[in-house]
């Protein structure tokens, strides 16, 4: 087989042996592909040949010119393999900027390693140990892979990130008689399809990332392929519909849900006094968090099949599959139906799954519990997350419920500016010398409580270090600081803070100049010095920051002039700020709401002006004058 491989690939890496001095000179790269690029893909071909429902052969050839240190970091080839995916052979070479051959890599230049050493799995990787070179230089490799389980067909994305240019890329899919491949194109340029199962890309330029852009996954050209009939771990499957694909998972875990009788009895006793299903869910979720821990198990089909609930019950550990299956089994024991659910997890993965295209690109499992008038979602790998809260790890995206009837595609909860909130109540006592004491109660809810929830678990010293680094106040001393978590369906963290401010207000003659916005989040204002290419999104989820400040005025002072309220509304959100004097106090109300709507790039200047209006108002000062 190796001789066949060399015959098939030899022309790629050895065809230039007689003219090795002229291979891939950097001078041949069009200037339009150099701008903004850290690396340039000179040539990239992927040929995926399906032999039958279970087996396939993949040949990948890639030539990448690395222009700088960032490109070197991003372009180091790493090749993963496992029991279902073998690497037949690898050939690689490195070239100087002028095309001179530096070295053909040998077996000693390819490191074989095992990721996640503290977990149990059969995953391994090979990585090329490239010789240190001055930039730019070029790396070429050819690799042949063999699949002996075919749940996954390729996702072909020639441009991996914004700092990569692509000179030429080509995808070829080959299918045997009687088997069909399904294909979905995302952001494809016109005329890139050059055959029935052939696609070609030319001259894709790198670009600079633009602030306040939607998820970059929505910008890159991709071809997603998926099987119809497949076989994985000797279990046949059908991926034509979500329902059919769900049946595969149901069969995969059909015998994994039994618990020991003594555990069932214990769980039933644990919820004896519960008046409803929600109480039972909370009680068992607490039990799960307090009695198990996460530990990845990925041996063979176990990389996809959940560990038996009885094994997790005994060992008290499991991965997302095992822990979720265990939770479903525990809920079943107390007569609460729940579903094992596969999902594409990750803060930046909301737009990488497609409801109209059944496919296998999931990476996580959680639990869905449908109730009479509601649905609860359980993240079973966390020992600290609130019961029923999915966080930004799995929020607002498709998920596949695995039911006895097959898969059912649903959508996880969306947290927007109505749930992601910061409510701040602040009392300030200002002295005539400009110093002040401040007491603030801040309540962070939804996604907005994520950082505060982390801080709540840290030491007092770490909490204070974080505040000294991030608080939008120039000079202060922390007198007291306390965090309190509320683990409800929409979790919150309350921060109680007391500060001493040596110089809150600046004095000039009979006047004190007091900042109107003190604790608010500082807005970053992008520049308008170039043409905007991408659409505009103020925040990927949206949030609301609202504060009420009561400022006690020093005796003998009053507000010199009334403050003109600010109220600005755009498609991106709304900003309101007002201040008025009442009985020796200033009442300051501020509210900023940013939504997650995506607006056309011609609205970028409107958004920038909105942020400038917010910043200008926040920098305003109230003038107090001493009465004579």
């Amino acid at each position: 087989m190796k001789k066949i491989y060399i015959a098939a690939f030899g022309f790629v890496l050895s065809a230039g042996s007689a003219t090795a001095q002229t291979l891939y000179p950097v001078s041949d790269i069009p200037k339009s592909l150099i701008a903004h690029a850290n690396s340039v893909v000179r040539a990239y071909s992927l040929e995926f040949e399906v032999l039958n429902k279970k087996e396939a052969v993949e040949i990948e050839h890639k030539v990448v010119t690395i222009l700088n240190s960032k490109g070197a970091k991003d372009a180091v080839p790493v090749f993963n393999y496992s029991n279902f995916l073998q690497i037949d052979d690898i050939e690689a070479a490195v070239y100087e900027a002028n095309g001179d051959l530096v070295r053909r890599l040998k077996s000693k230049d390819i490191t074989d390693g095992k990721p996640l050493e503290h977990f149990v799995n059969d995953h391994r990787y090979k990585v090329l140990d490239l010789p240190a070179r001055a930039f730019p230089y070029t790396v070429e490799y050819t690799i042949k892979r063999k699949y002996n389980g075919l749940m996954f067909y390729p996702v072909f994305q020639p441009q991996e990130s914004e700092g990569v240019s692509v000179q030429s890329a080509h995808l070829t899919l080959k299918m045997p008689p009687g088997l069909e491949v399904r294909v979905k194109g995302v952001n494809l340029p016109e005329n890139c399809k050059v055959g029935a199962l052939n696609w070609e890309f030319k001259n894709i330029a790198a670009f600079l990332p633009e602030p306040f852009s939607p998820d970059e996954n929505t910008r890159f050209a991709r071809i997603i392929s998926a099987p119809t009939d497949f076989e994985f771990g000797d279990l046949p499957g059908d991926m034509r519909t979500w329902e059919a694909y769900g049946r595969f998972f149901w069969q995969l875990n059909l015998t994994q849900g039994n618990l020991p009788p003594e555990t069932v009895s214990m769980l039933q006793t644990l919820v004896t006094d519960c008046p409803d299903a929600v109480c039972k869910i909370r009680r068992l979720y607490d039990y799960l968090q307090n009695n198990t821990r996460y530990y990845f198990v990925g041996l063979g089909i176990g990389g996809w099949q959940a560990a038996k609930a009885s094994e997790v019950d005994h060992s008290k550990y499991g991965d997302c599959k095992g822990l979720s299956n265990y939770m479903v089994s525990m809920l079943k024991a107390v007569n609460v139906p729940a579903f094992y659910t596969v999902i594409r997890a990750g803060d930046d993965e909301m737009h990488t799954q497609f409801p109209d295209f059944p496919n296998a690109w999931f990476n996580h499992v959680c639990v869905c519990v449908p109730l009479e008038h509601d649905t609860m979602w359980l993240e079973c790998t966390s020992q600290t997350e609130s019961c029923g809260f999915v966080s930004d790890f799995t929020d607002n995206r498709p998920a596949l419920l695995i039911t006895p009837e097959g898969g059912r595609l649903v959508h996880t909860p969306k947290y927007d500016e109505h749930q992601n909130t910061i409510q701040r109540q602040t009392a300030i006592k200002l002295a005539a010398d400009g110093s002040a004491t401040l007491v603030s109660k801040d309540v962070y809810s939804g996604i907005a409580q994520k950082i505060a929830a982390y801080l709540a678990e840290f030491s007092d010293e770490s909490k204070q270090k974080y505040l000294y680094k991030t608080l939008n106040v120039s000079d202060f001393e922390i007198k007291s600081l306390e965090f309190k978590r509320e683990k409800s369906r929409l979790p919150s963290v309350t921060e109680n803070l007391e500060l001493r401010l040596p110089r809150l207000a600046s004095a000039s003659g009979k006047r004190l100049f007091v900042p109107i916005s003190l604790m608010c989040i500082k807005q970053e204002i992008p520049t308008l010095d170039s043409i905007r290419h991408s659409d505009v999104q103020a925040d990927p989820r949206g949030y609301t920051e609202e504060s009420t400040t009561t400022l006690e005025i020093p005796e003998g002072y009053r507000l010199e002039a009334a403050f003109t309220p600010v109220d600005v509304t755009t498609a991106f959100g709304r900003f309101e700020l007002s201040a008025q004097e009442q009985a020796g106090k200033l009442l300051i109300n501020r509210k900023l709401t940013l939504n997650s709507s995506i607006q056309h790039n011609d609205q970028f200047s409107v958004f920038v002006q909105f942020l400038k209006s917010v910043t200008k108002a926040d920098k305003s000062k109230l003038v107090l004058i001493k009465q004579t």
Side-chain angles (χ1 to χ4, degrees), residues 53 150-151 227-232 235-239 245 248:
K53 290 191 296 184
L150 268 190
M151 190 156 57
T228 49
D229 298 300
F230 67 94
E231 187 174 320
F232 194 80
L235 184 66
D238 178 352
M239 208 180 290
Y245 185 45
F248 168 81

Side-chain angles (χ1 to χ4, degrees), residues 12-13 43 74-75 100 200 230 237 288 306 346 364 380 446 454 518 535 542 608:
V12 175
L13 290 178
D74 295 339
D100 287 352
E200 188 174 63
F230 67 94
L288 179 80
H364 187 56
C380 298
Y454 286 142
L518 194 62
D535 290 337
V608 171

Side-chain angles (χ1 to χ4, degrees), residues 431-451:
D433 64 356
S435 64
T437 57
L438 177 150
V439 177
S440 184
K441 178 182 179 181
D442 305 343
V443 181
Y444 301 83
S445 299
I447 304 296
Q449 57 85 52
K450 181 177 179 179
I451 294 178

Side-chain angles (χ1 to χ4, degrees), residues 9 237 431 438-439 485 521 578:
F9 294 159
L438 177 150
V439 177
R485 293 187 68 181
I521 298 173
S578 65

Side-chain angles (χ1 to χ4, degrees), residues 256-543:
Q256 306 302 100
N258 294 327
L259 288 170
E262 59 271 22
T263 299
V264 173
S265 178
M266 179 272 295
L267 294 173
Q268 291 172 345
T269 301
L270 188 64
V271 300
T272 299
D273 60 335
C274 280
D276 54 30
V278 173
C279 173
K280 293 180 180 180
I281 295 166
R282 292 186 183 280
R283 198 73 60 84
L284 295 193
Y285 189 71
D286 285 343
Y287 178 84
L288 179 80
Q289 289 187 315
N290 293 329
N291 290 277
T292 64
R293 60 190 176 91
Y294 179 86
Y295 196 89
F296 177 66
V297 180
L299 295 172
I301 192 64
W304 291 95
Q305 184 182 53
K308 292 182 178 180
S310 58
E311 293 178 356
V312 176
D313 184 62
H314 174 74
S315 65
K316 304 304 181 186
Y317 69 80
D319 56 19
C320 65
K321 306 182 301 298
L323 293 173
S324 295
N325 180 61
Y326 183 44
M327 188 69 197
V328 169
S329 300
M330 289 197 296
L331 289 169
K332 180 181 178 181
V334 297
N335 298 316
V336 177
F339 296 111
Y340 184 91
T341 304
V342 293
I343 194 168
R344 184 76 184 178
D347 182 22
D348 57 352
E349 296 285 347
M350 288 191 293
H351 304 289
T352 56
Q353 186 55 268
F354 300 92
D356 64 341
F357 186 75
N359 66 89
W361 291 97
F362 298 103
N363 63 359
H364 187 56
V365 178
C366 59
V367 173
C368 177
V369 190
L371 302 172
E372 185 177 359
H373 302 294
D374 195 5
T375 301
M376 288 190 73
W377 292 85
L378 304 177
E379 174 50 63
C380 298
T381 62
S382 173
Q383 293 177 302
T384 60
E385 193 59 85
S386 299
C387 180
F389 181 65
V390 300
S391 78
D392 58 4
F393 191 53
T394 51
D395 67 318
N396 193 26
R397 68 198 71 193
L400 188 65
L401 270 59
I402 308 304
T403 77
E405 295 76 28
R408 179 153 54 94
L409 200 67
V410 296
H411 206 85
T412 60
K414 177 181 180 180
Y415 304 112
D416 59 18
E417 63 272 20
H418 302 293
Q419 290 83 32
N420 306 324
T421 61
I422 303 170
Q423 301 283 339
R424 184 174 290 117
Q425 294 183 335
T426 304
I428 301 174
K429 185 174 182 179
L430 180 65
D433 64 356
S435 64
T437 57
L438 177 150
V439 177
S440 184
K441 178 182 179 181
D442 305 343
V443 181
Y444 301 83
S445 299
I447 304 296
Q449 57 85 52
K450 181 177 179 179
I451 294 178
Y454 286 142
L455 287 175
E457 307 298 327
F458 289 174
S459 66
D460 290 343
E461 181 181 1
S462 296
K463 295 172 186 173
Q464 293 189 8
K465 282 183 178 179
Y466 179 83
L467 281 185
Y468 278 120
K469 183 178 179 181
T470 61
L471 206 59
N472 191 25
V473 182
S474 59
D475 185 18
F476 63 92
E477 176 188 353
I478 299 175
K479 303 297 290 182
S480 66
L481 174 63
E482 179 190 42
F483 287 86
K484 182 180 179 182
R485 293 187 68 181
E486 178 66 34
K487 292 187 177 182
S488 58
R489 289 282 296 277
L490 187 70
S492 64
V493 177
T494 299
E495 173 191 282
N496 291 302
L497 174 67
E498 184 179 353
L499 302 178
R500 187 180 73 83
L501 304 165
R503 183 168 295 186
L504 171 63
S506 56
S508 178
K510 298 189 298 180
R511 293 174 173 81
L512 288 175
F513 297 86
V514 186
I516 192 170
S517 298
L518 194 62
M519 307 286 286
C520 61
I521 298 173
K522 185 178 180 180
Q523 301 299 317
E524 298 293 334
I525 303 177
T527 60
L528 281 170
D529 57 1
S530 61
I531 298 174
R532 178 76 179 193
H533 296 92
S534 60
D535 290 337
V536 190
Q537 187 177 39
D539 188 86
R541 290 173 174 83
Y543 70 88

